[in-house]
Amino acid sequence: MNYDMILLRYGELAIKGKNRGRFEKAAYQHVKFVLAPFPQAKIIRVYGRMYVELNGEPIEEVVGALRRVFGIVSLSPVKRAPSELEPIVETALQLMAEMNPGENTTFKVTARRAWKAFPHGSQEMNHLVGAPILRQYPQLTVDVRKPDIELHVEVREEGTYLFNEVIPGAGGFPLASNGRAMLLLSGGIDSPVAGYQALRKGLEIEAIHFHSYPFTSERAKQKVLDLAQVLANYAGRIRVHLVPFTEIQTRLHQDAPDNLMITLMRRAMMRISTRLAEQRKAGALISGDSLGQVASQTLGSMNVIGRVTDLPLLRPLVTMDKNEIIRIAEQIGTYDLSILPYEDCCTLFVPKSPSTNPNLRVVEYAEHSMKDYEALLEAAVAQTESLVLRAGGSPDHAIVLSGPERQDASQAEVSGKPDEQPARTDDWF
């Protein structure tokens, strides 16, 4: 169908009170970023909503991109007419003609007069628009409760918008409207879903992945980058930090009590993540923990593991069951990647009988007894590689933020220009 614009609606929760302007600005910036591949599209902001003029851009692709914008609860392709009765009726007839209603189709007109100077009220407009449609399409019948077609007519001063379809959006809060947090991203099912849930709550996320090359394969790291790319498609872009964990994991395996291996490994990850969060001015850490799912996710284990950080530790999935998590993973497009058979560092050196209720004093003593433990943590932070993934792209075209390229790459990340083609690097692994 031939539409002129797309109407975007904010969530009620996101636009209330004094925060309204901040939330709307955040949503606008996200829309602007995801529309970068569509240079002819133009964004128009009005009170309480936003419109996107297509100007010849493919509507299916634009709608697909906009459905991923957080803070937008729904969107509708619309036809626009001048705010005069005759053009409004003519446009309504055009829209019905394109829908080509069949026999026994029910419909109703729902008019809304937002511009009070317009001479016809909302109820009057229902009849003034509906009557010509019934005359031209005698096969239609009116059903005001559950019609097959509901034609919406919004009369505003700058123009009148007509639409019949309401497409669900991502909902939640606008991206980055509630600060920044660091996501501990593994290759499993849970952590990408936790990242998605954090994005919906208005958090800008950066991903931290711990790898143990050569114990884990290059494909294992690529799998995580592919998962991060899915999240970047929702967020617009995501910075990924790749932390070398081999030396720490090997030392833990050599020196730590076997039953505390997982607890000590997770505490080391939390310590490193906290330092990276401080560098990036992030206000929280995010994990994919689900209560009782594995040994490190019992209440006792989560308590001991979380003690190493002063930052809030967000666990969006903590009370979800596995089937619910899988359903979301399938919905957002991460499940098929998560089940690929490439192991990450969390599957290495797994003890036969891991502690499910570790003693904090014993765990702290084991850490103090490890030689050069603090130096190993600092080395892992110093050797961390960082890169940026962009919506619609791929890890092969990521912007690498490491070494002497860091400053230039950071400037390129901020610019957000879709036509940039940063030099590819092959030394990620």
Side-chain angles (χ1 to χ4, degrees):
M1 297 178 69
N2 186 22
Y3 290 105
D4 306 312
M5 311 175 74
I6 300 172
L7 162 63
L8 309 180
R9 302 177 186 84
Y10 303 119
E12 285 295 323
L13 185 62
I15 61 174
K16 287 184 177 180
K18 297 179 180 180
N19 289 324
R20 179 178 191 135
R22 180 169 63 90
F23 282 127
E24 289 190 2
K25 182 178 180 181
Y28 169 79
Q29 292 295 337
H30 195 182
V31 170
K32 183 179 178 181
F33 199 91
V34 302
L35 290 182
F38 309 98
Q40 300 305 315
K42 179 183 176 183
I43 306 171
I44 300 172
R45 296 172 65 184
V46 297
Y47 185 78
R49 57 185 54 192
M50 199 183 313
Y51 296 92
V52 175
E53 284 187 347
L54 293 168
N55 296 320
E57 296 289 359
I59 187 168
E60 294 83 3
E61 296 178 25
V62 175
V63 167
L66 293 174
R67 290 191 68 179
R68 294 173 174 171
V69 175
F70 296 103
I72 302 299
V73 295
S74 66
L75 52 152
S76 295
V78 303
K79 285 182 176 290
R80 181 171 55 183
S83 291
E84 300 172 9
L85 181 58
E86 186 175 340
I88 292 172
V89 172
E90 181 180 343
T91 304
L93 291 171
Q94 291 175 358
L95 183 56
M96 292 299 297
E98 293 177 10
M99 286 188 281
N100 191 25
E103 294 292 333
N104 301 319
T105 300
T106 59
F107 95 111
K108 67 178 288 191
V109 175
T110 301
R112 177 171 175 261
R113 186 183 62 168
W115 179 36
K116 300 307 179 185
F118 188 73
H120 307 287
S122 298
Q123 290 297 324
E124 185 182 3
M125 283 295 292
N126 290 341
H127 298 289
L128 291 173
V129 175
I133 292 175
L134 284 173
R135 286 195 296 268
Q136 184 156 328
Y137 298 96
Q139 71 271 30
L140 293 175
T141 56
V142 175
D143 183 346
V144 297
R145 294 188 176 181
K146 292 184 178 181
D148 299 320
I149 297 173
E150 183 172 5
L151 178 60
H152 295 265
V153 180
E154 289 196 3
V155 181
R156 295 178 175 269
E157 184 174 5
E158 73 280 2
T160 295
Y161 305 95
L162 297 92
F163 60 92
N164 74 292
E165 187 177 10
V166 178
I167 302 169
F173 287 87
L175 183 68
S177 61
N178 283 326
R180 176 184 296 165
M182 310 296 277
L183 168 69
L184 280 71
L185 181 64
S186 72
I189 296 172
D190 299 342
S191 58
V193 174
Y196 174 80
Q197 297 289 68
L199 289 171
R200 288 192 77 252
K201 279 297 182 180
L203 286 170
E204 175 191 358
I205 66 171
E206 297 188 9
I208 302 174
H209 176 65
F210 296 85
H211 64 90
S212 293
Y213 183 80
F215 295 123
T216 54
S217 68
E218 294 181 359
R219 279 299 303 148
K221 191 187 294 186
Q222 183 64 45
K223 170 185 173 181
V224 171
L225 291 176
D226 290 339
L227 287 167
Q229 181 64 58
V230 175
L231 295 177
N233 291 340
Y234 286 95
R237 61 187 171 202
I238 280 184
R239 185 181 292 220
V240 182
H241 306 275
L242 302 172
V243 182
F245 203 59
T246 308
E247 293 296 326
I248 295 173
Q249 202 162 15
T250 302
R251 183 65 60 82
L252 288 171
H253 180 61
Q254 293 171 347
D255 298 347
D258 186 63
N259 67 321
L260 296 179
M261 177 69 184
I262 293 177
T263 302
L264 291 167
M265 182 178 68
R266 293 293 301 274
R267 280 169 62 93
M269 290 178 175
M270 288 292 174
R271 292 180 192 275
I272 293 169
S273 298
T274 299
R275 297 179 194 193
L276 291 173
E278 291 169 350
Q279 291 180 5
R280 296 293 302 145
K281 295 181 172 56
L285 303 180
I286 306 165
S287 79
D289 294 339
S290 179
L291 185 62
Q293 191 164 268
V294 294
S296 64
Q297 295 175 21
T298 63
L299 198 59
S301 290
M302 288 194 292
N303 177 38
V304 170
I305 291 167
R307 290 293 186 95
V308 301
T309 182
D310 293 328
L311 291 175
L313 181 52
L314 309 181
R315 297 181 171 101
L317 315 183
V318 69
T319 61
M320 291 187 181
D321 61 41
K322 195 66 176 183
N323 289 335
E324 188 176 2
I325 296 170
I326 289 173
R327 179 183 59 78
I328 298 173
E330 291 173 335
Q331 173 189 330
I332 65 176
T334 58
Y335 179 74
D336 289 340
L337 291 170
S338 294
I339 62 174
L340 291 174
Y342 305 115
E343 296 182 335
D344 57 29
C345 68
C346 295
T347 61
L348 298 175
F349 310 128
V350 177
K352 292 182 179 180
S353 300
S355 175
T356 59
N357 190 27
N359 183 287
L360 180 59
R361 291 185 179 180
V362 174
V363 170
E364 291 175 337
Y365 178 80
E367 290 173 337
H368 292 319
S369 301
M370 286 180 58
K371 183 179 179 181
D372 300 328
Y373 180 63
E374 186 64 27
L376 289 172
L377 297 177
E378 289 294 338
V381 173
Q383 296 167 17
T384 295
E385 299 173 88
S386 300
L387 52 90
V388 174
L389 302 175
R390 289 187 171 178
S394 72
D396 288 341
H397 295 94
I399 300 175
V400 179
L401 308 175
S402 58
E405 302 174 13
R406 181 180 299 274
Q407 182 61 35
D408 291 341
S410 296
Q411 293 300 321
E413 178 195 0
V414 170
S415 71
K417 295 179 180 178
D419 55 348
E420 289 174 4
Q421 294 296 330
R424 178 181 173 182
T425 61
D426 292 317
D427 58 347
W428 297 351
F429 304 116

